[in-house]
Amino acid sequence: MDKKEERLNKILSTTIDILIQEGAENLSMRKVAKNASLSLSNLQYYYKDKNLLLIATVEFYFESCKKELSHAIKLLSVDSTPDKDVFLEKILNMLLIDGRSSHQTLMFQEIWTLAARNKELQDAIETYYKTYCLWMIDLVSTFCKKPDEIVSFLIPFVEGYTIVSNVIPLTKEGVIEMMVKLISIVEK
């Protein structure tokens, strides 16, 4: 990794840390520069304004999430090729995150909050989700006959689960069991 790439990663990681710890309302270019040990003008050399910084941060964050999930799936595939139900259980276990205990979910909530008032950021998020859907369809197609339907069911459920996981009557294990059964019905 060259020096410029290291600096960009530091800036984006710092922005993510501020969003998670302090929320979007406390994010400023000046705070990012200070926490990344840069001058404001140096930060503005890379990102002219807060909007461009946010878009780059969202893209960086989503890419890191995708890499993390890809790595976990590779580990799953190393041992053997699991059957469909085992694959679904493993992937659901990775994707169903309790929103109260995860920095990842806090970041997603901040991103959605910002996107509600920022068209460019909203477009960047929609682009990510379109790419994410295609990636998931490709992944799921290895194990399922109807990957478009499965992904169309999984993604909104997984996103919503992060918000309501602590109030629904089933445990995470119970939800996974139910979803595997529902997907089996769709697959018939």
Side-chain angles (χ1 to χ4, degrees), residues 81-167:
T81 304
D83 71 8
K84 178 188 71 169
D85 288 354
V86 170
F87 166 77
L88 289 170
E89 288 170 8
K90 298 277 186 185
I91 199 160
L92 285 166
N93 196 45
M94 286 184 269
L95 293 173
L96 295 176
I97 300 169
D98 177 353
R100 296 170 302 162
S101 63
S102 167
H103 289 290
Q104 186 178 22
T105 353
L106 292 172
M107 180 63 180
F108 272 96
Q109 291 168 359
E110 291 300 323
I111 290 169
W112 280 107
T113 300
L114 290 165
R117 292 177 182 82
N118 182 322
K119 177 71 171 123
E120 289 177 56
L121 193 54
Q122 184 179 21
D123 290 344
I125 291 170
E126 286 177 9
T127 298
Y128 162 75
Y129 273 105
K130 286 176 186 175
T131 303
Y132 181 62
C133 285
L134 292 173
W135 178 76
M136 283 291 288
I137 287 168
D138 186 50
L139 175 68
V140 170
S141 69
T142 307
F143 299 92
C144 300
K145 295 180 279 190
K146 298 179 180 177
D148 290 11
E149 292 177 27
I150 304 306
V151 169
S152 296
F153 172 65
L154 281 180
I155 290 178
F157 186 88
V158 165
E159 295 293 322
Y161 182 87
T162 63
I163 297 168
V164 298
S165 62
N166 61 325
V167 297

